[in-house]
Amino acid sequence: MTEGHAHSKVVIALLAISVSINLLVAGMVVGQRLDGSRPLTRIEAARDPNAGRPGPYDLFVKSAPDPVLPFLKEAIASHQDLSQVQLQQLREARREATRQLKALPFDAAATSAAFARVRALFGEIQRGVHETAIGAYARAYGQTPPPSDPQQ
């Protein structure tokens, strides 16, 4: 295999990862917009067995007993502004990763760093969703939410 051929495979793989992340985030944003970004609507849609658009909190909402739902609604609503900021940061990081893929001469280290930033931001968003939902469950059951994961 030639060096150019191996380089092409790496670029194609990175592009596929980028497209996958873009589609995931776009789906989350579109789903949120279609639901009107209102937590109660999102909760009602998640509990509807015929609803087809999954959202980031759906696992928690589908598993929630009715007394937990008001706590989830409040937690999701309070997290909306931060979520929008994080999604904007993720969009910017994806644009930078795309710029790195297109840059000539190609810089594998810079491209890798750009994609590492995308993965880190995606992980932060996911961690935030998990911590927000777990905190809501804890408060619903009269418990203190666990502290944020210090390893992140």
Side-chain angles (χ1 to χ4, degrees):
M1 184 180 309
T2 66
E3 183 179 327
H5 186 67
H7 176 73
S8 294
K9 284 190 173 195
V10 169
V11 170
I12 289 171
L14 291 173
L15 186 57
I17 291 169
S18 177
V19 168
S20 297
I21 291 170
N22 285 333
L23 289 173
L24 174 68
V25 172
M28 288 172 56
V29 171
V30 168
Q32 192 175 47
R33 292 294 176 226
L34 289 175
D35 285 337
S37 295
R38 292 189 314 266
L40 183 56
T41 304
R42 177 73 250 153
I43 287 174
E44 289 167 356
R47 292 181 67 87
D48 178 359
N50 299 318
R53 298 178 313 270
Y57 290 97
D58 284 0
L59 170 68
F60 298 101
V61 172
K62 287 178 181 178
S63 301
D66 287 338
V68 173
L69 292 177
F71 292 89
L72 273 173
K73 176 185 172 190
E74 178 185 326
I76 293 168
S78 70
H79 198 255
Q80 288 295 316
D81 290 341
L82 176 59
S83 295
Q84 294 305 314
V85 169
Q86 289 176 316
L87 286 173
Q88 180 59 35
Q89 291 172 340
L90 183 59
R91 282 189 289 274
E92 291 168 6
R94 284 192 335 263
R95 282 193 288 271
E96 176 57 26
T98 301
R99 278 193 294 276
Q100 290 299 325
L101 285 173
K102 294 177 180 180
L104 293 176
F106 178 75
D107 183 342
T111 304
S112 180
F115 276 98
R117 176 75 176 137
V118 170
R119 287 189 304 275
L121 286 168
F122 188 74
E124 286 177 31
I125 292 168
Q126 189 175 41
R127 183 174 50 81
V129 166
H130 294 169
E131 288 178 356
T132 299
I134 292 168
Y137 269 72
R139 285 188 296 282
Y141 291 115
Q143 300 174 13
T144 302
S148 295
D149 186 357
Q151 296 176 356
Q152 299 293 327

